[in-house]
Amino acid sequence: DAGITQSPRHKVTETGTPVTLRCHQTENHRYMYWYRQDPGHGLRLIHYSYGVKDTDKGEVSDGYSVSRSKTEDFLLTLESATSSQTSVYFCAISAISGAYNEQFFGPGTRLTVL
Amino acid sequence: KQEVTQIPAALSVPEGENLVLNCSFTDSAIYNLQWFRQDPGKGLTSLLLIQSSQREQTSGRLNASLDKSSGRSTLYIAASQPGDSATYLCAVETDKLIFGTGTRLQVFP
């Protein structure tokens, strides 16, 4: 399982509430990613990190923020959750970028926004 | 804009068949292509990674090929088993990983 855990694994929340998802890795990998998976859209990149305090936006970053204060933790925050953010969220890690970028995924968090 | 397509969207075969899953992409400027397996309600498991300079990779009963110039990759599964039932995703690496929507495979006894 590449030493990746996500918490919580399931969450139900109401529109307008803040939500934070946590990704924790034990591999000390430099790169960490947050994706969302929706029917008909596949997996889409939200944000990624290339080191402590170094983050950048992905394809669908609106409404999300991230933080990485330690190598092992990457947090995804929905400041004010909306129903369109109901999805399954996956964290991934990789050691390097480019041709050798093999990504390994966590078990996912199923988020429902009512 | 890079787009990744997987055909067919779903496939049902009897146990023992050899089968091919297809993945196509629109921009050949990729670093690598990765095949994943996803079981229902689970995360993704990396199966094979083919770098852009490579033509194929093999792992057990799985063989993945890459033709970058034509924008195509295939995943060949030999002697399929019911335990192979899952969704198979391909993804290409540019400056980020772009995923196809997957092929849902069912292998029945």
Side-chain angles (χ1 to χ4, degrees):
Chain A
D1 63 358
I4 310 169
T5 56
Q6 293 184 231
S7 58
R9 294 293 315 281
H10 302 272
K11 186 170 182 66
V12 180
T13 191
E14 294 188 349
T15 297
T17 60
V19 177
T20 296
L21 308 183
R22 179 180 182 242
C23 177
H24 178 79
Q25 61 149 329
T26 59
E27 305 293 318
N28 206 37
H29 284 341
R30 177 181 177 187
Y31 296 88
M32 299 185 75
Y33 310 83
W34 277 108
Y35 293 88
R36 60 178 289 174
Q37 185 175 35
D38 304 289
H41 289 281
L43 279 92
R44 293 177 292 174
L45 181 66
I46 306 171
H47 281 280
Y48 66 99
S49 169
Y50 45 96
V52 173
K53 297 192 187 331
D54 291 324
T55 65
D56 206 348
K57 296 179 179 180
E59 179 186 1
V60 290
S61 59
D62 287 348
Y64 301 95
S65 63
V66 290
S67 65
R68 191 169 180 199
S69 58
K70 299 185 291 185
T71 299
E72 58 266 35
D73 289 325
F74 192 32
L75 304 181
L76 177 71
T77 297
L78 292 65
E79 300 291 346
S80 178
T82 67
S83 58
S84 65
Q85 294 176 312
T86 292
S87 186
V88 181
Y89 291 86
F90 288 101
C91 173
I93 63 173
S94 66
I96 55 177
S97 64
Y100 300 94
N101 181 5
E102 185 172 11
Q103 293 193 18
F104 299 93
F105 283 73
T109 294
R110 183 173 296 275
L111 176 67
T112 302
V113 184
L114 302 176
Chain B
K1 178 185 176 185
Q2 178 74 265
E3 293 183 0
V4 181
T5 304
Q6 291 187 248
I7 294 174
L11 185 62
S12 183
V13 300
E15 181 177 8
E17 275 204 7
N18 301 323
L19 51 96
V20 174
L21 307 182
N22 296 296
C23 172
S24 62
F25 48 96
T26 55
D27 187 343
S28 62
I30 63 171
Y31 287 118
N32 63 53
L33 184 144
Q34 198 167 355
W35 281 95
F36 295 89
R37 167 186 174 137
Q38 185 175 28
D39 294 288
K42 304 288 187 182
L44 280 69
T45 300
S46 178
L47 297 173
L48 291 163
L49 180 145
I50 312 175
Q51 296 168 29
S52 62
S53 59
Q54 298 175 323
R55 298 284 292 182
E56 65 178 315
Q57 283 285 343
T58 298
S59 176
R61 294 183 294 109
L62 304 180
N63 176 276
S65 67
L66 174 63
D67 185 343
K68 203 173 68 162
S69 62
S70 67
R72 293 178 183 176
S73 176
T74 61
L75 179 67
Y76 176 82
I77 302 177
S80 59
Q81 303 171 357
D84 295 329
S85 298
T87 296
Y88 291 81
L89 298 162
C90 72
V92 297
E93 170 78 20
T94 55
D95 57 347
K96 57 181 179 291
L97 210 54
I98 307 295
F99 283 84
T101 52
T103 293
R104 189 171 66 253
L105 172 66
Q106 181 182 12
V107 181
F108 54 90

